[in-house]
Amino acid sequence: MFHARTSGKFLVAVAGGALLLSACAGTDSASKPTTSGSAAASSSSGAGKTITFAFDQEFSSYNGNTGAENSSRNNLPLQRVLTGFWYYGGDGTVTPDKDFGTFEKISDDPLKVKYTINPAAVWSDGTPIDCDDLMLAWAANSGKIKGFSTAGTTGYELTDVPNCEKGGKEITHTYSEPFGDWAGALYSVGQIMPAQVVEKKGGLSEDEFIEAVKKKDAKKLADAIKFYNDGWVMKGQLLSEDLIPSSGPYKLSKFDAGQSLTFVANDKYWGPKPQVQTVVERFIALDQQAQALQNGEVNIAVPQPGPDVLNQLNALEGVTVKTGPQYFYDHLDFNMDSSPFKDRTLREAFAKCVPRQLIVDNLIKPLNPNAAILQTRLVASVQPNYADVVNGIGGEDKKYDQVDIEGAKALLKKAGKEGLEVKIGYQSPNPRRTSVAQLISDSCNKAGFKIKDNGDENFFGNGLTNNTYDVALFGWIGSDLISGSTSTYTSPSKCDSEHKGNNNGCYSNKKVDELLKKVNATTDKAAQTPLVAEAEKIMWQDLATIPLYENPNLTAWSEGVNNVVPNPTQAGISWNMDKWTIE
């Protein structure tokens, strides 16, 4: 999920959250040109052209693979900076990046996958992309070398140490068991980081680094691990160029804290050159993006969907507007590590007073009349098996469709917790989530809770990571890869930023762990359904989380900008920005 990561894993979506979305009415509109449109956001002609897009969260780290930095604020803008063997295409499917290299399954029993890096592939500092870069990706994401922080190990943990040598461009992984999502498992966009930087910061030669990884020598790798976890975090300014080499058509050139992130064409990129020399990401709050597009401050906007903003965008001249489904849902996560919600009785009391239907009716249906309460965490409502999974839950989910104030009161009284203060944490500003928190407050305060809106501009960087909340309101954005969500509900070995990955609230159930492991090992999609349903049923019985609704996609761009393709997955709008053009 894109909390936001770019592999098959879910990412925290800073604009809202993760799985897929039920189909909403699509709107394509374009009308006459306007003097305000794109002129102010673009330069003149030729190689000097610039395209500017809006995103609501400020970039914070070059490495979005760690537990602390796995979010769309980092992974979305780097889609065409840090490339890999595959990416999510415009239709949301796993798409091989043949410019980077090739991969193929060479055996089913045991499962073996061969990866070959393009011989011409180099980092923007001129260093060849080869064995040690894949070694680093494996070491950091497999969970087999102590100390590395990772968003999730799914797929990697089934493989052993890479079998390549210094300078090698080929690697074959043998899996310890079947893995249904093998094509979208390893070495995706954003996961292959520059090993030469980590080696230098870790005081190791390339040979020493490769040998230490092969031996799983965490002590030898200690300084390298420390840099990998923390060294790419931006602290108000762009890191020096030698620390952030690119493997894609763009590289970072400027970071204005609180304002923007600038990309320029990478002259060392061996594949097709980008269509425009410069792309700028402007950090603009969701509720201000439509106005920014109208004012010509940006060429492309991805505001939070809502009836008012949709009407505002449709009224603009010379603007194309598109809505549609995406793998993105909002939910409530309990802090099961350091809050009263360790107690299931209190989780149930809270679940009984959350007005899920009212939230959908007031905030989602005006944009998508067919919107309904989301009942699952592992599949989206537009996926073919959604209805079968819901039926397999056996009604456990339906217990919380309607508000039960008296039932919530009774459970609070039973627990001796009348008047319990509940901090709802979320990334602010976010108009929709502020409204969700208010609707929950209006309802749950009647049951005896004292709801506190704990929205914070740094919720993802601090609150979610450090569990400084009772209930977290955020979204997961991911894809149709089932393995992308399983790590989110798998028991962490320890509830800290290094070990919990996407399982922020530290939910744990060994039976769910077993079921999700079986799901990942099942190659037949139909056979996955009863396993997913059983896991969902247990998670509803445990009240692991409370799914709320799916978020529709809303994208708009000014006249003269071409090849903008909204992506329904965690890849986001920037997935093909090297193909954007402007007249």
Side-chain angles (χ1 to χ4, degrees):
M1 308 177 190
F2 243 152
H3 204 294
R5 290 174 173 88
T6 15
S7 64
K9 303 168 180 62
F10 271 139
L11 307 181
V12 168
V14 276
L19 239 67
L20 199 46
L21 166 63
S22 58
C24 44
T27 302
D28 295 347
S29 67
S31 45
K32 301 175 204 166
T34 176
T35 53
S36 56
S38 63
S42 64
S43 58
S44 55
S45 60
K49 289 185 176 180
T50 297
I51 291 179
T52 300
F53 72 98
F55 193 62
D56 73 304
Q57 292 295 316
E58 182 169 345
F59 183 69
S60 66
S61 177
Y62 201 59
N63 183 7
N65 298 293
T66 67
E69 297 298 338
N70 169 33
S71 78
S72 51
R73 66 180 177 180
N74 299 321
N75 294 323
L76 181 146
L78 296 178
Q79 293 288 300
R80 303 305 291 147
V81 175
L82 295 172
T83 56
F85 282 101
W86 63 271
Y87 59 91
Y88 291 114
D91 61 355
T93 61
V94 169
T95 305
D97 185 345
K98 294 182 180 179
D99 293 318
F100 188 89
T102 60
F103 63 98
E104 60 178 328
K105 182 170 64 173
I106 58 176
S107 170
D108 280 306
D109 187 17
L111 174 62
K112 289 186 180 181
V113 183
K114 180 181 178 181
Y115 294 85
T116 304
I117 301 170
N118 187 327
V122 295
W123 294 97
S124 57
D125 63 5
T127 304
I129 300 174
D130 51 30
C131 172
D132 59 337
D133 300 305
L134 301 189
M135 281 280 192
L136 175 60
W138 180 88
N141 294 289
S142 67
K144 295 186 178 183
I145 299 181
K146 186 177 180 180
F148 279 105
S149 174
T150 178
T153 63
T154 305
Y156 282 98
E157 87 281 13
L158 301 178
T159 64
D160 207 347
V161 179
N163 58 346
C164 63
E165 302 298 334
K166 178 180 178 180
K169 291 272 190 175
E170 291 184 359
I171 189 170
T172 297
H173 278 292
T174 301
Y175 284 73
S176 60
E177 59 187 66
F179 187 70
D181 283 341
W182 67 267
L186 314 181
Y187 307 127
S188 74
V189 165
Q191 284 190 328
I192 300 175
M193 303 297 295
Q196 71 272 23
V197 177
V198 173
E199 290 160 0
K200 182 178 180 180
K201 291 296 182 178
L204 301 169
S205 68
E206 184 175 351
D207 285 323
E208 289 172 333
F209 176 78
I210 290 173
E211 186 66 19
V213 172
K214 287 184 174 181
K215 291 181 177 179
K216 303 176 187 175
D217 189 343
K219 185 176 180 180
K220 182 81 171 178
L221 293 166
D223 289 341
I225 291 171
K226 186 177 188 306
F227 178 83
Y228 179 90
N229 291 347
D230 305 317
W232 274 306
V233 174
M234 305 288 167
K235 297 179 180 177
Q237 60 184 3
L238 195 66
L239 296 173
S240 60
E241 187 175 3
D242 63 309
L243 296 180
I244 52 173
S246 164
S247 61
Y250 284 107
K251 61 183 179 180
L252 300 186
S253 69
K254 189 179 181 184
F255 176 40
D256 292 320
Q259 298 296 320
S260 64
L261 183 67
T262 301
F263 310 80
V264 297
N266 173 11
D267 59 0
K268 292 290 197 303
Y269 185 60
W270 60 97
K273 302 303 180 184
Q275 296 297 303
V276 295
Q277 175 70 21
T278 306
V279 173
V280 177
E281 176 191 14
R282 284 282 310 280
F283 312 135
I284 299 177
L286 293 169
D287 58 353
Q288 298 174 26
Q289 288 190 19
Q291 190 64 49
L293 183 67
Q294 181 176 5
N295 294 345
E297 298 172 49
V298 299
N299 304 107
I300 305 168
V302 190
Q304 189 171 68
D308 292 339
V309 71
L310 180 60
N311 290 337
Q312 182 182 358
L313 290 171
N314 281 332
L316 299 180
E317 294 185 349
V319 169
T320 298
V321 182
K322 285 192 176 182
T323 65
Q326 60 180 338
Y327 290 85
F328 181 177
Y329 80 96
D330 271 23
H331 52 101
L332 297 165
D333 279 20
F334 294 103
N335 177 356
M336 299 186 192
D337 176 54
S338 55
S339 89
F341 285 115
K342 290 180 180 179
D343 184 346
R344 187 204 175 279
T345 299
L346 295 178
R347 299 200 298 273
E348 183 177 2
F350 185 78
K352 283 180 176 292
C353 67
V354 172
R356 296 167 77 214
Q357 187 64 60
L358 182 63
I359 289 169
V360 171
D361 290 345
N362 284 14
L363 304 177
I364 308 301
K365 279 194 173 182
L367 190 67
N368 173 18
N370 297 319
I373 295 171
L374 181 66
Q375 305 292 11
T376 62
R377 306 160 183 84
L378 299 171
V379 297
S381 66
V382 297
Q383 291 181 264
N385 63 340
Y386 178 76
D388 290 336
V389 171
V390 172
N391 288 336
I393 294 173
E396 291 292 333
D397 53 319
K398 302 296 183 184
K399 293 178 180 179
Y400 308 101
D401 281 4
Q402 300 298 326
V403 169
D404 179 6
I405 298 298
E406 294 306 315
K409 279 183 178 179
L411 288 172
L412 270 181
K413 184 175 181 180
K414 176 183 177 182
K417 293 290 186 179
E418 296 101 324
L420 178 67
E421 182 180 271
V422 175
K423 299 187 294 294
I424 298 182
Y426 62 94
Q427 185 80 15
S428 65
N430 188 302
R432 178 186 290 163
R433 293 200 180 124
T434 297
S435 296
V436 171
Q438 185 60 56
L439 289 172
I440 293 173
S441 178
D442 293 344
S443 179
C444 289
N445 285 352
K446 296 175 184 176
F449 287 102
K450 291 183 179 178
I451 304 299
K452 181 180 179 182
D453 183 325
N454 226 37
D456 183 353
E457 291 183 359
N458 193 34
F459 178 67
F460 289 134
N462 181 35
L464 194 62
T465 301
N466 298 318
N467 287 34
T468 58
Y469 63 90
D470 298 313
V471 176
L473 167 61
F474 66 105
W476 284 124
I477 186 163
S479 70
D480 65 350
L481 294 175
I482 189 65
S483 61
S485 55
T486 53
S487 65
T488 303
Y489 305 102
T490 298
S491 301
S493 59
K494 189 177 181 182
C495 191
D496 60 23
S497 59
E498 178 185 332
H499 298 90
K500 67 181 181 178
N502 276 342
N503 190 345
N504 296 285
C506 298
Y507 168 70
S508 178
N509 185 299
K510 295 303 180 186
K511 179 61 177 176
V512 171
D513 293 345
E514 293 172 8
L515 288 165
L516 297 183
K517 185 176 181 180
K518 289 180 181 177
V519 168
N520 287 338
T522 302
T523 56
D524 180 357
K525 293 289 185 182
Q528 290 178 348
T529 297
L531 299 171
V532 171
E534 188 176 354
E536 287 279 7
K537 182 176 182 177
I538 295 171
M539 286 192 282
W540 271 113
Q541 291 169 342
D542 289 346
L543 286 168
T545 64
I546 304 175
L548 295 175
Y549 52 79
E550 294 168 309
N551 292 270
N553 177 281
L554 177 59
T555 307
W557 58 93
S558 54
E559 188 173 43
V561 177
N562 300 302
N563 298 330
V564 176
V565 181
N567 193 304
T569 74
Q570 60 199 44
I573 192 61
S574 61
W575 75 278
N576 74 331
M577 69 183 190
D578 54 315
K579 303 293 190 267
W580 294 346
T581 64
I582 187 167
E583 297 172 7

